[in-house]
Amino acid sequence: MVIHTVKSADTSSGQSFISEVNSILASNTDETSKRVAFDCEGVNLSRLGSVEIVSICFPALDVYIIDFGGTICPGIHKSVADLFESASVTKVIHDCRMDCDALYHNHGIRVNNVHNTSCFHILEDSNLNDVLSYNGISVNSARDKSVYKRNPRFWSTRPLTPSMVEWASSDVKNLFALADAQLSHMTNASKSAAMVKSTQYSHNICGMKVCVGLSVRSPGLFIGRRGQNLRSLQKRTGTLIYSDNDEWFVFYDSDSSLDAVKRSMSK
């Protein structure tokens, strides 16, 4: 694996990234070669926060850490948009919802043709390392979510540290192997269903409304053991519920769904 950090199209790494994008978009190779793996890191990653880093892995396992923090280079932004919006290139990612929401609302990029590994897994709410482990693939040992307690704006830190680059690159380097493992033991019908759900995950979130500034009376009861109550509520109401420190926010389609969530929050 070769790792490049990119901030500007004027640098050698920026020119290399643009060349990689142009090459894969122009390629007439088979479907498995027309894919990239990606992941976003940010501060409160969603339309409510920011995209700070976009990690993109190409088939030869060249990983580009794209610095989206601050002012984004127009040439780099265009290449990311061209790649992610392409219908001919499959984007492999684990749980794309907040990534797609942030990219669309904050940067005008709509991600198309997604293989969302959480939709291909038996338990959709499993985190990336759990899904990797389930499929016999090495996990990302660089992940350390405890840093958010010390620094909620961790991903906006500049310059990027070696640990940040390792974490971000390790999140994408094994996604191709994970996608292949998932596809190898699925029927055509289950593959089609998972792809439909992947499209729903990547597109539906962008059209949902969001309610912010909510509080929960009894967080432990609301979340439940290992998140069971929260997952059940989201499934029942068709919502997505997140928290940033003590503030909660809800993505929803209908007022009745939001009202149901608010009632549960007040118990």
Side-chain angles (χ1 to χ4, degrees), residues 100-195:
C100 291
D101 185 70
L103 287 169
Y104 178 71
H105 286 280
N106 297 342
H107 300 286
I109 299 172
R110 182 180 286 276
V111 184
N112 291 313
N113 191 6
V114 172
H115 176 124
N116 186 1
T117 56
S118 64
C119 294
F120 283 76
H121 188 59
I122 189 171
L123 297 173
E124 290 180 22
D125 292 309
S126 301
N127 64 42
L128 175 58
N129 274 350
D130 287 343
V131 179
L132 289 169
S133 179
Y134 178 88
N135 287 275
I137 300 169
S138 299
V139 302
N140 181 0
S141 58
R143 294 173 66 91
D144 178 16
K145 291 194 173 183
S146 67
V147 300
Y148 300 138
K149 294 181 179 179
R150 302 189 300 271
N151 180 12
R153 300 188 59 83
F154 172 75
W155 289 107
S156 65
T157 302
R158 295 296 182 275
L160 298 176
T161 66
S163 62
M164 295 169 75
V165 171
E166 181 183 5
W167 180 339
S169 59
S170 296
D171 266 352
V172 295
K173 70 176 183 179
N174 288 328
L175 286 177
F176 292 139
L178 174 56
D180 290 341
Q182 292 178 325
L183 292 170
S184 68
H185 57 70
M186 298 180 75
T187 65
N188 288 335
S190 59
K191 289 177 187 176
S192 296
M195 284 304 297

Side-chain angles (χ1 to χ4, degrees), residues 19-227:
S19 177
E20 287 267 24
V21 171
N22 291 339
S23 177
I24 198 169
L25 290 176
S27 172
N28 292 318
T29 55
D30 62 87
E31 184 177 329
T32 57
S33 298
K34 293 272 285 187
R35 63 181 183 174
V36 296
F38 89 96
D39 184 52
C40 296
E41 303 292 354
V43 178
N44 190 11
L45 182 65
S46 66
R47 72 186 72 172
L48 304 174
S50 63
V51 179
E52 297 293 335
I53 290 175
V54 179
S55 307
I56 302 175
C57 184
F58 288 87
L61 297 187
D62 282 323
V63 176
Y64 290 83
I65 307 298
I66 314 296
D67 188 349
F68 262 53
T71 302
I72 303 168
C73 170
I76 297 300
H77 180 276
K78 181 182 184 304
S79 285
V80 173
D82 289 347
L83 179 64
F84 285 0
E85 293 178 351
S86 170
S88 67
V89 180
T90 301
K91 272 67 70 174
V92 184
I93 181 175
H94 184 79
D95 194 353
C96 65
R97 291 172 290 187
M98 290 298 100
D99 307 69
C100 291
D101 185 70
L103 287 169
Y104 178 71
H105 286 280
N106 297 342
H107 300 286
I109 299 172
R110 182 180 286 276
V111 184
N112 291 313
N113 191 6
V114 172
H115 176 124
N116 186 1
T117 56
S118 64
C119 294
F120 283 76
H121 188 59
I122 189 171
L123 297 173
E124 290 180 22
D125 292 309
S126 301
N127 64 42
L128 175 58
N129 274 350
D130 287 343
V131 179
L132 289 169
S133 179
Y134 178 88
N135 287 275
I137 300 169
S138 299
V139 302
N140 181 0
S141 58
R143 294 173 66 91
D144 178 16
K145 291 194 173 183
S146 67
V147 300
Y148 300 138
K149 294 181 179 179
R150 302 189 300 271
N151 180 12
R153 300 188 59 83
F154 172 75
W155 289 107
S156 65
T157 302
R158 295 296 182 275
L160 298 176
T161 66
S163 62
M164 295 169 75
V165 171
E166 181 183 5
W167 180 339
S169 59
S170 296
D171 266 352
V172 295
K173 70 176 183 179
N174 288 328
L175 286 177
F176 292 139
L178 174 56
D180 290 341
Q182 292 178 325
L183 292 170
S184 68
H185 57 70
M186 298 180 75
T187 65
N188 288 335
S190 59
K191 289 177 187 176
S192 296
M195 284 304 297
V196 168
K197 188 169 288 187
S198 291
T199 299
Q200 292 172 343
Y201 267 41
S202 60
H203 286 182
N204 290 2
I205 184 67
C206 299
M208 296 178 84
K209 294 175 283 188
V210 60
C211 183
V212 302
L214 300 174
S215 60
V216 174
R217 176 173 293 182
S218 303
L221 179 62
F222 179 71
I223 296 170
R225 188 166 182 244
R226 296 183 178 178

